[in-house]
Amino acid sequence: MAKPVVLVTGANTGIGFEAVKAFAASPNPYHIIVGSRSVEKGEAAIQQIKAEYPDSSTTLELVQVDVTSDDSINAAFEAVSSKHEYIDALVNNAGAVFDHWLGNNAGSVRDTFNKAWDVNVAGTHVMTYVFAPLLIKSPNTPRLVFITSGLSTLQGAAENLVPPAHQRTITPGWPKEGGILPMGYRSSKAGMNMMMLGWHHMLAVDGVKTLCLSPGFLATGLGGDQKRLEKMGAGPASLGGTFIKDVVDGQRDADVGKVIRRDGVQPW
């Protein structure tokens, strides 16, 4: 049988990188398309994985893609479709947080908010829209995975259930000591959850298994100082990578159309 073809965006770092490692470590063979905004960083990531798993039956292919650029996404589609008639899974992992820009005077209130939505929602939506034709051509069970966040749950936010790294005492007055909450990031991930539902309903007739994956409180560069996060109880990023591989393998197909955690389903 042909190797499952899996495209992972943002695969040169964080849990995207860990997901590629998990595929490479598996006894089952895959063909992983490593999506990276930077060609140099993507190539370095591939070389590192090949060095770590020299006997892996999984093959790796680089594609340059910046999800904030329609031209880049379209070029990535042309590159992939010129080599592959279909893909079996699209893992929309590329994401970013910009709320810290305010504290560093690196961007305006509008910039920090809009940038999060551009990367995490609009960019992911365009990526899915462009690659959907290849996904639904899969002769196997195609899977569409969106990487969301534990901060995206509306119920959790209403009950103020947040990881330790995001807990803070809010003081009266203005400006707020310690800055404002990460509203751009967490609201964009909540928006992603709604977008996933739209894709779930639209592609179910094509046999596509669609869901959001919430990796949990992990020590990644996205969350800030990794050593500090580890001291606060964050798990290793590799847990997220293995989780992604398991979902692509179909282990959570019973939970399509939902936001899933490793230990169950995340409340909306």
Side-chain angles (χ1 to χ4, degrees), residues 46-237:
I46 288 176
Q47 292 307 312
Q48 182 178 338
I49 293 171
K50 286 183 176 180
E52 190 168 344
Y53 302 99
D55 299 322
S56 176
S57 57
T58 288
T59 48
L60 306 177
E61 171 189 346
L62 176 66
V63 66
Q64 191 279 330
V65 61
D66 178 352
V67 299
T68 65
S69 166
D70 287 1
D71 289 342
S72 177
I73 292 173
N74 289 329
F77 176 81
E78 292 302 322
V80 173
S81 61
S82 68
K83 299 177 182 178
H84 306 279
E85 294 181 1
Y86 60 86
I87 59 174
D88 294 296
L90 171 59
V91 180
N92 283 303
N93 167 71
V97 57
F98 302 94
D99 295 284
H100 60 283
W101 279 8
L102 285 176
N104 298 330
N105 296 317
S108 67
V109 175
R110 186 178 299 277
D111 289 340
T112 60
F113 207 84
N114 285 350
K115 188 66 174 175
W117 281 79
D118 188 23
V119 175
N120 300 330
V121 186
T124 300
H125 177 61
V126 175
M127 185 75 187
T128 304
Y129 185 93
V130 170
F131 277 87
L134 286 184
L135 189 63
I136 64 177
K137 288 181 181 178
S138 169
N140 306 302
T141 300
R143 294 182 177 87
L144 174 59
V145 182
F146 297 90
I147 307 303
T148 187
S149 168
L151 292 175
S152 69
T153 165
L154 297 179
Q155 179 179 328
E159 298 174 2
N160 201 31
L161 300 175
V162 297
H166 298 279
Q167 293 176 0
R168 67 185 72 185
T169 300
I170 300 177
T171 59
W174 196 268
K176 294 299 181 184
E177 186 176 337
I180 66 170
L181 296 171
M183 297 183 195
Y185 178 74
R186 69 193 306 178
S187 67
S188 70
K189 289 297 187 177
M192 172 188 279
N193 296 349
M194 174 60 81
M195 179 183 63
M196 177 276 293
L197 282 174
W199 281 107
H200 165 60
H201 292 307
M202 187 157 50
L203 298 183
V205 295
D206 297 292
V208 180
K209 306 291 187 181
T210 304
L211 48 73
C212 275
L213 183 157
S214 181
F217 183 38
L218 304 179
T220 68
L222 181 66
D225 186 332
Q226 291 176 247
K227 296 296 184 183
R228 180 179 66 86
L229 293 175
E230 289 172 359
K231 292 179 180 179
M232 299 176 73

